[in-house]
């Protein structure tokens, strides 16, 4: 009996020592660059996983006091190894600069491993956004393989992804997975409505994404993923200006209070007295965000963004003005004003078996008011009206308004018992009443060929209302066939209804009769991925995209609209490879065939009519290389070699079959060499090269523009909470045009910016609480 009591006492004593050796560790894991909480970070020691962060980025675990090293792991981030972890710490994790096997959200609306997505997708990281110090989005988007975003001045732009440079609705722009404008009311300047100060990263899907997002996602879809409120108090204030009259102030602040996160992000930019005449502009962008973590399974997020933009519209230059570097403007009153307000509330539910449900309800207001330079036409022309008045021109002032409300919903179901299969079911509903009105203006052109002033008349060129209703449903299925081979398939049905009411009669410029048009399509997608090992794999896919006519193509400047949707078939093969820790490479080859493209046809009576005509073929190879050449030197190359050809295409009575499409460079490349010396901590320097190859200026292939090469230099330095930078854009002062077009009126050049020095300073307000050790 005595022996048994003695043994029990010894066990109790040893157990008490064991308990006394246990230490409670608590803290948060956040992103090094944004201070956002990271959910799902795996915490381990001695190769044994024992904890993970919750939706707030928080962790809590018990370990013995003699634990010497704790490892924090998260896809897309460098592993964090800490010795002597404090009992309460904020762990900052650094995004990896080379790992391709990262999480992406644009392929399935939820975070998904890159290796599971058989698509060509690229990510612009927070770090790249921060270091570029871009004053326009094209300065970062043009770093992506296959992308050429064309600068048209003052953040105005157009796009080319797997397409020539054009102004059609072939690209879909999203914010956190929700389109920023409704289908059918595409505007090539839509990214004016983005708040660059609130971006966390940008994901670019190249090729048709209609099976998930519907129409307009033909050349590609660009998803702007916004910042979430930080886990700790953070703030930033920056000022910058350049030698071309540009000034800008950025501001942000965010924090989390237990389960509630709050953030504000914005900037004000303006330009006056730039190198080019009539190029002043103002823009205010402001975003408010909140998120609330109800519990470990339910979250709510709300945001509202306001954009106010006004800019002069200088118009393009003819060849004489361009090559003589005469940047005076023929226009004195043309302008554009944009007001945009959008808001959404998103609910996420995470089920026990890792299944997920998302519902987002949104509302948008978009208004564009303009006196556009591209609508100004001379009364006199030697071929059309040789007796016209040389001091008279014609134009219009117009306003395009659209209000939207709708929802996006998706449920993703995991089937762990079926080789990790995943099924996603989704739908979207978009109700968008649209109004457009245009007044005729008579323009006085003086003897110096300057459009000096105008008189607005009561004459209405266009005055209509259109009710847009867009309903889409889709299903995605993903399943492993073997440990390395995975199949992914998707099918989507869309129906777009236009209920058109014209307030003008048939004799008007826009004389289309009242009508109800509808367009519907089923768009499939199927792909395979084969993974050799983590971060190394191949993919192949077929996808289809469709593009219904825009409202402006159906009803503006026409009498009887009879148009079919354009259809595109895309075939693609590609791969992504990580060679050690220092070199990564991704590549995709594609062929996309277009049918029923909408063109403007010149009729015998001199009027124009939109018609379906022609077939096109787009072929290319896109590639990206990231190479850590040494401890401090990083090289990046993004490029695309492509061919865009008319297979069957007639326009204005001319047959362009087998011609190269106009404004279609055969090679576009962007490369950058960055240096961060270890002996000079927090200093960076980079040299960037942007190349655009020669291309035909028109579909008739009658003349070529030789393209251009420009170089940009960037420096930056951080000292404690202060950051300073200097960028020299177009360092060699190259005369170049971002796009050149030829028409019966002559050659038209959109001049690129001359050499521009940009200098900025920022102060970061950081919380001083204890950081990781």
């Amino acid at each position: 009996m005595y022996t048994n009591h003695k043994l029990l006492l010894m066990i109790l004593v040893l157990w008490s020592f064991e308990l006394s050796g246990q230490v409670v560790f608590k803290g948060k894991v956040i992103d090094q660059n944004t201070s956002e909480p990271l959910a799902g970070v795996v915490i381990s020691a001695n190769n044994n996983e024992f904890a993970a962060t919750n939706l707030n980025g928080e962790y809590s675990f018990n370990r013995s006091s003699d634990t010497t090293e704790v490892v924090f792991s998260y896809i897309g981030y460098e592993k964090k190894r800490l010795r002597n972890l404090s009992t309460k710490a904020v762990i900052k994790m650094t995004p990896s600069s080379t790992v391709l096997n990262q999480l992406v959200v644009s392929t399935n609306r939820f975070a998904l491993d890159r290796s599971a997505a058989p698509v060509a997708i690229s990510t612009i990281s927070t770090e790249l956004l921060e270091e570029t110090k871009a004053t326009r989005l094209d300065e970062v988007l043009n770093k992506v393989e296959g992308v050429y975003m064309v600068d048209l001045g003052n953040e105005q732009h157009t796009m080319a992804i797997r397409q020539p440079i054009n102004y059609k609705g072939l690209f879909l722009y999203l914010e956190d997975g929700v389109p920023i404008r409704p289908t059918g009311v595409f505007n090539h300047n839509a990214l004016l409505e983005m708040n660059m100060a609130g971006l966390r990263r940008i994901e670019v899907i190249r090729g048709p994404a209609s099976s998930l997002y519907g129409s307009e996602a033909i050349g590609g879809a660009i998803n702007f993923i916004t910042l979430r409120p930080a886990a700790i108090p953070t703030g930033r204030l920056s000022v910058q200006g350049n030698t071309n009259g540009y000034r800008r102030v950025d501001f942000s602040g965010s924090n989390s209070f237990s389960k509630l996160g709050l953030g504000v992000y914005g900037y004000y930019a303006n330009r006056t007295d730039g190198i080019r005449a009539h190029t002043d502009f103002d823009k205010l962008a402001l975003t408010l965000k909140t998120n609330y973590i109800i519990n470990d399974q339910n979250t709510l997020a709300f945001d509202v963004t306001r954009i106010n933009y006004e800019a002069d519209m200088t118009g393009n230059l003819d060849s004489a003005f361009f090559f003589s570097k005469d940047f005076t403007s023929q226009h004195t009153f043309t302008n554009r004003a944009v007001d945009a307000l959008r808001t959404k509330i998103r609910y996420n539910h995470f089920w026990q078996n890792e299944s997920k449900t998302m519902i987002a309800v949104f509302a948008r207001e978009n208004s564009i008011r303009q006196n556009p330079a591209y609508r100004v036409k001379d009364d006199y022309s030697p071929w059309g009206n040789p007796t016209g008045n040389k001091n008279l021109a014609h134009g219009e002032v117009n306003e395009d308004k659209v209000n939207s409300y709708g929802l996006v919903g998706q449920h993703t179901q995991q089937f762990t018992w079926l080789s990790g299969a995943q099924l996603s079911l989704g739908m979207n509903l978009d109700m968008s009443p649209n109004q457009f009105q245009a007044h005729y203006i008579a323009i006085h052109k003086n003897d110096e060929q300057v459009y000096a002033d105008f008189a607005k008349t009561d004459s209405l060129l266009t005055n209509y209302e259109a009710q847009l209703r867009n309903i889409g449903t889709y299903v995605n299925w993903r399943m492993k066939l073997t440990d390395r081979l995975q199949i992914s398939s998707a099918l989507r049905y869309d129906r777009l209804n236009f209920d058109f009411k014209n307030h003008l009669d048939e004799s008007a410029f826009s004389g289309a009769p009242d009508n109800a048009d509808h367009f519907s399509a089923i768009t499939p997608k199927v792909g395979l991925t084969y993974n050799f090992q983590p971060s190394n794999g191949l993919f192949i896919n077929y996808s289809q995209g469709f593009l219904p006519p825009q409202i402006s193509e159906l009803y503006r400047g026409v009498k009887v609209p009879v148009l079919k949707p354009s259809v595109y078939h895309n075939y693609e093969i590609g791969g992504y490879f990580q060679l050690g820790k220092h070199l990564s490479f991704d590549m995709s080859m594609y062929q996309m065939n277009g049918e029923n493209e909408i063109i403007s046809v010149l009729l015998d009576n001199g009027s124009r009519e939109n018609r379906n005509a022609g077939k096109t073929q787009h072929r290319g190879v896109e590639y990206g290389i990231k190479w850590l050449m040494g401890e401090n030197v990083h090289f990046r190359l993004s490029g695309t070699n492509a061919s865009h050809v008319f297979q069957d295409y007639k326009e204005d009575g001319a047959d362009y079959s087998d011609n190269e499409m106009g404004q279609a460079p055969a090679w576009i490349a962007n490369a950058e060499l960055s240096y961060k010396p270890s002996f000079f901590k927090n200093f960076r320097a980079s040299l960037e090269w942007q190349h655009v190859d020669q291309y035909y200026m028109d579909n008739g292939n009658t003349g070529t523009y030789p393209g251009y090469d420009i170089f940009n230099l960037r420096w930056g330095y951080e000292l404690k909470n202060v950051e300073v930078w200097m960028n020299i854009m177009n360092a060699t002062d190259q005369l170049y045009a971002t796009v050149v077009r030829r028409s019966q009126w002559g050659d038209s050049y959109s001049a690129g910016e001359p050499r521009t020095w940009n200098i900025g300073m920022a102060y970061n307000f950081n919380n001083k609480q204890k950081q990781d050790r």
Side-chain angles (χ1 to χ4, degrees), residues 92-103:
K92 292 185 175 182
M93 297 192 68
T94 304
S96 173
S97 59
T98 58
V99 172
L100 281 169
N101 195 21
Q102 57 187 321
L103 293 175

Side-chain angles (χ1 to χ4, degrees), residues 320-624:
F321 277 81
F322 177 76
F323 287 107
S324 64
K325 296 186 180 182
D326 185 348
F327 297 136
T328 57
S329 177
Q330 293 179 283
H331 299 275
T332 61
F333 51 78
T334 48
N335 65 85
R336 174 177 284 123
V338 176
D339 293 312
L341 176 67
R342 59 181 176 271
T343 182
K344 62 180 178 291
I345 183 167
R346 175 170 173 154
Y347 167 72
N348 289 321
H349 179 77
F350 301 91
W351 303 85
Q352 294 288 349
N353 63 349
E354 297 185 357
S355 299
K356 300 175 283 284
T357 300
M358 178 275 294
I359 299 175
V361 180
F362 63 85
R364 299 175 297 225
E365 293 182 3
N366 304 86
S367 172
I368 301 177
R369 305 178 306 279
Q370 55 183 0
N371 187 333
Y374 59 82
R375 293 294 183 199
V376 175
K377 302 296 182 185
D378 291 341
D379 187 57
Y380 165 82
S381 69
W383 60 88
N385 190 18
T387 62
N389 188 340
K390 293 185 178 181
N391 294 111
L392 177 64
H394 315 282
E396 69 179 56
V397 292
N398 60 50
E399 182 175 10
D400 191 3
K401 296 172 58 177
V402 59
N403 298 325
S404 305
Y405 52 93
L407 62 88
V408 175
Q410 178 175 300
H411 175 73
T412 299
Q413 182 69 39
Q414 304 286 347
F415 299 94
T416 54
W417 54 271
L418 188 60
S419 302
Q422 181 187 89
L423 176 69
S424 295
L425 299 171
M427 62 87 64
N428 70 273
L429 173 65
D430 193 330
M431 310 289 287
S432 300
N434 174 236
Q435 296 177 321
F436 188 92
Q437 189 176 92
H439 284 262
Y440 170 82
I441 62 173
I443 300 170
H444 170 64
K445 186 177 184 182
N446 63 28
D447 294 335
E448 287 73 37
Q449 302 300 299
V450 174
Y451 302 104
D453 54 64
F454 72 96
K456 181 180 176 181
T457 73
D458 292 331
S459 175
L460 282 167
L461 298 170
T462 306
N463 186 16
Y464 65 71
E465 297 178 13
Q467 296 287 336
L468 285 77
R469 295 184 298 276
N470 184 16
I471 300 174
T473 60
Y474 61 90
V475 56
N476 290 346
W477 173 257
R478 182 167 58 88
M479 177 181 174
K480 284 187 176 181
L481 301 178
T482 69
D483 288 342
R484 296 184 177 183
L485 183 64
Q486 181 172 265
I487 187 171
S488 177
S489 60
L491 191 68
R492 180 182 176 109
Y493 171 77
D494 277 279
R495 182 181 175 91
L496 180 64
N497 295 315
F498 295 112
D499 189 358
F500 173 75
K501 184 176 182 180
N502 198 344
H503 298 301
L504 302 179
D505 58 34
E506 294 182 2
S507 63
F509 172 72
S510 296
D514 293 355
N515 202 8
D517 293 292
H518 72 270
F519 304 93
S520 60
I522 296 176
T523 50
K525 181 173 185 176
V526 61
L528 293 170
T529 58
Y530 185 84
N531 295 304
F532 301 103
Q533 54 185 329
S535 302
N536 289 270
L538 297 173
F539 68 86
I540 184 171
N541 76 59
Y542 164 77
S543 59
Q544 184 176 307
F546 88 105
L547 179 68
Q550 300 291 303
I551 286 182
S552 59
E553 293 173 325
L554 277 171
Y555 309 119
R556 188 194 181 281
V558 298
K559 307 301 180 185
V560 182
V562 181
L563 294 172
K564 300 177 182 178
S566 304
V567 179
Y568 296 83
H569 302 270
N570 184 76
Y571 308 87
E572 184 172 5
I573 185 171
Y576 40 90
F577 308 95
Q578 181 85 35
L579 306 178
K581 295 183 178 180
H582 301 286
L583 182 65
S584 63
F585 171 72
D586 68 277
M587 177 272 297
S588 60
M589 296 182 291
Y590 68 90
Q591 176 171 311
M592 184 164 64
N593 301 322
E595 301 175 359
N596 286 330
E597 295 207 26
I598 297 172
I599 63 172
S600 178
V601 177
L602 183 66
L603 304 180
D604 292 338
N605 63 3
S607 64
R608 304 188 74 89
E609 181 176 288
N610 289 323
R611 292 181 180 174
N612 290 107
K615 296 180 180 179
T616 59
Q617 184 181 82
H618 311 269
R619 289 178 173 174
V621 55
E622 302 158 341
Y623 44 89

Side-chain angles (χ1 to χ4, degrees), residues 113-294:
D113 195 309
R114 168 67 185 89
S115 63
V119 296
I121 185 169
S122 300
T123 300
I124 299 173
S125 66
T126 304
E127 183 179 19
L128 188 58
L129 288 171
E130 284 291 322
E131 293 183 354
T132 301
K133 304 299 181 189
T135 59
R136 308 183 310 264
L137 281 171
D138 62 278
E139 294 175 12
V140 290
L141 282 171
N142 287 341
K143 298 176 186 291
V144 176
E145 57 270 32
V147 176
Y148 179 47
M149 181 177 176
V150 180
D151 169 37
L152 299 177
N154 293 339
E155 295 191 28
Q156 298 168 105
H157 65 91
T158 192
M159 191 68 69
I161 307 175
R162 297 194 176 180
Q163 289 283 323
I165 301 166
N166 65 72
Y167 300 87
K168 295 181 180 180
L170 297 169
F171 313 103
L172 185 63
Y173 305 129
L174 309 113
E175 183 180 67
D176 298 324
V178 177
I180 64 174
R181 293 182 66 88
T183 296
V185 198
F186 176 81
N187 187 283
H188 65 84
N189 283 307
L191 295 185
L192 284 175
E193 301 172 13
M194 293 306 305
N195 181 1
M196 288 188 284
L199 297 180
R200 173 159 51 109
R201 71 176 189 270
I202 305 173
E203 294 181 356
V204 182
I205 299 177
R206 304 186 301 279
S210 292
S211 63
L212 179 61
Y213 294 112
S215 65
E216 295 183 354
I218 304 300
I222 303 179
N223 193 7
F224 296 87
I225 300 170
T226 60
L227 287 163
R228 296 169 297 174
I232 60 176
T234 61
R236 180 180 174 87
L237 178 66
S238 71
V239 294
Q240 60 181 305
N242 69 27
T243 54
N244 200 7
Y246 182 83
R247 303 292 182 268
R248 175 165 156 175
V249 177
D250 286 60
F251 51 90
S252 67
S254 68
N255 190 21
S256 291
F257 306 89
S258 184
K259 295 183 177 183
L260 177 67
L262 300 173
V264 57
Y265 316 90
Y267 73 97
Y268 171 73
N270 94 312
R271 177 157 71 177
T272 56
D273 302 323
I275 294 174
R276 286 206 63 189
H278 199 61
T279 56
D280 292 356
F281 94 106
D282 288 89
K283 178 179 178 181
L284 174 65
L286 181 65
T287 299
L288 301 175
K289 302 199 73 171
T290 66
N291 65 265
Y292 184 71
I293 299 176
I294 302 171

Side-chain angles (χ1 to χ4, degrees), residues 592-658:
M592 184 164 64
N593 301 322
E595 301 175 359
N596 286 330
E597 295 207 26
I598 297 172
I599 63 172
S600 178
V601 177
L602 183 66
L603 304 180
D604 292 338
N605 63 3
S607 64
R608 304 188 74 89
E609 181 176 288
N610 289 323
R611 292 181 180 174
N612 290 107
K615 296 180 180 179
T616 59
Q617 184 181 82
H618 311 269
R619 289 178 173 174
V621 55
E622 302 158 341
Y623 44 89
I625 300 173
K626 294 181 181 179
W627 182 17
L628 188 60
M629 302 173 66
E631 183 180 352
N632 308 311
V633 181
H634 183 251
F635 175 75
R636 175 192 55 78
L637 171 66
S638 303
T640 180
N641 296 80
S643 170
H644 306 278
V645 178
F646 293 118
Q647 290 188 312
D648 179 14
Y649 205 85
K650 297 178 178 64
E651 181 181 350
D652 296 348
D655 188 351
Y656 297 134
S657 300
D658 299 324

